[in-house]
Amino acid sequence: MSGEKILIVEDEERIARVLELELEHEGYETKKVLDGLDALSAFREGEYDLVLLDVMLPGMDGMSVLRRIRQGSDVPVIMLTAKDEIADKVSGLDLGASDYVTKPFDMEELLARVRAALRKAVPATTLAAADLTVNEEAREVTRAGQLIDLTPREYELLLYLLKNKRHVLSREQLLDGVWGYDYYGDTNVVDVYIRYVRNKVDKPFDRALIQTVRGVGYVLKE
């Protein structure tokens, strides 16, 4: 059994249900949504290995959904559409779609394209939260497309928060995870470096990602 998780975004209930059944028969886990806004919510709340994304959707069209996904993720996205004009395909591919399938499609061909897209997907070295991304291989941090220069310690602190996003971490946990078990200094060093990181990663932007949990520690939340 495959086990990869696929988000199905298709506003035609009958087609969505067929996709759901066929993919689950092949061993994939699936989640089905019927409009663009629900697709974004589902994508942000879950961890998916691939997205099947219709172009014509209520709430928000598929191209806009793809654009939002690509702000923080390289997950494979296969576009599904009734349109067959070259310009539409080019637009989807330029926005970062992995593949483009025109309706009506042959199910066996679609399944083959799903398998191919999953094979091509390189294990992620990029972590993301909202519009913040960290490329571990390049040690590169960007937010809203802007490159952020961090010192090595600031980078390690941000990376640790990002790897544990949505989990509240105490100062002691951050010391252990970032400074190491053999660090015997004051835990106030965590507060100092949190401030440094916030000044670079949060302060110049509209929304703060690093939050203080009074009496406990810190958490990075989208």
Side-chain angles (χ1 to χ4, degrees):
M1 301 296 279
S2 302
E4 289 97 337
K5 192 168 182 181
I6 297 177
L7 178 62
I8 302 166
V9 188
E10 167 61 63
D11 66 326
E12 294 185 51
E13 176 68 41
R14 181 184 61 81
I15 294 177
R17 180 58 176 158
V18 169
L19 288 169
E20 184 180 42
L21 291 172
E22 290 287 345
L23 289 166
E24 289 182 354
H25 179 72
E26 293 296 313
Y28 300 107
E29 294 182 43
T30 67
K31 181 174 178 62
K32 176 183 65 177
V33 295
L34 304 178
D35 68 64
L37 293 176
D38 285 346
L40 279 182
S41 296
F43 185 78
R44 288 167 178 164
E45 292 169 5
E47 297 289 337
Y48 296 95
D49 298 292
L50 183 139
V51 179
L52 289 176
L53 178 61
D54 191 22
V55 172
M56 302 299 292
L57 294 168
M60 178 183 290
D61 67 86
M63 294 295 186
S64 297
V65 173
L66 175 60
R67 189 178 293 109
R68 299 286 185 88
I69 288 175
R70 282 292 174 257
Q71 287 176 357
S73 174
D74 293 323
V75 66
V77 177
I78 298 178
M79 305 297 290
L80 305 175
T81 181
K83 296 183 177 181
D84 58 1
E85 296 181 7
I86 295 298
D88 296 313
K89 295 184 179 181
V90 169
S91 296
L93 294 171
D94 282 346
L95 285 173
S98 308
D99 204 348
Y100 206 108
V101 179
T102 303
K103 300 176 187 176
F105 48 79
D106 177 79
M107 185 57 67
E108 289 303 318
E109 179 186 356
L110 177 62
L111 291 172
R113 288 174 181 263
V114 166
R115 291 191 294 270
L118 289 170
R119 281 196 302 270
K120 289 178 184 177
V122 178
T125 57
T126 299
L127 301 173
D131 55 354
L132 170 71
T133 62
V134 175
N135 185 310
E136 288 191 80
E137 186 175 349
R139 292 181 69 89
E140 186 176 89
V141 179
T142 60
R143 183 157 187 197
Q146 298 181 36
L147 190 64
I148 298 173
D149 185 27
L150 298 178
T151 67
R153 187 70 75 188
E154 291 166 354
Y155 171 82
E156 295 297 335
L157 178 57
L158 177 63
L159 184 64
Y160 194 76
L161 286 166
L162 191 53
K163 285 183 174 180
N164 294 277
K165 66 180 178 180
R166 295 188 293 272
H167 295 285
V168 179
L169 300 170
S170 68
R171 289 169 178 81
E172 290 75 16
Q173 285 175 302
L174 289 167
L175 275 177
D176 290 342
V178 179
W179 279 263
Y181 289 99
D182 56 351
Y183 179 83
Y184 295 106
D186 196 322
T187 59
N188 285 340
V189 70
V190 173
D191 303 319
V192 172
Y193 273 87
I194 286 285
R195 184 170 72 250
Y196 292 161
V197 174
R198 278 174 163 165
N199 284 340
K200 296 179 179 181
V201 171
D202 277 345
K203 192 172 181 180
F205 302 93
D206 294 334
R207 182 170 44 150
L209 298 176
I210 302 171
Q211 301 175 22
T212 302
V213 180
R214 192 176 299 278
V216 183
Y218 299 96
V219 59
L220 191 148
K221 294 174 65 176
E222 296 169 297

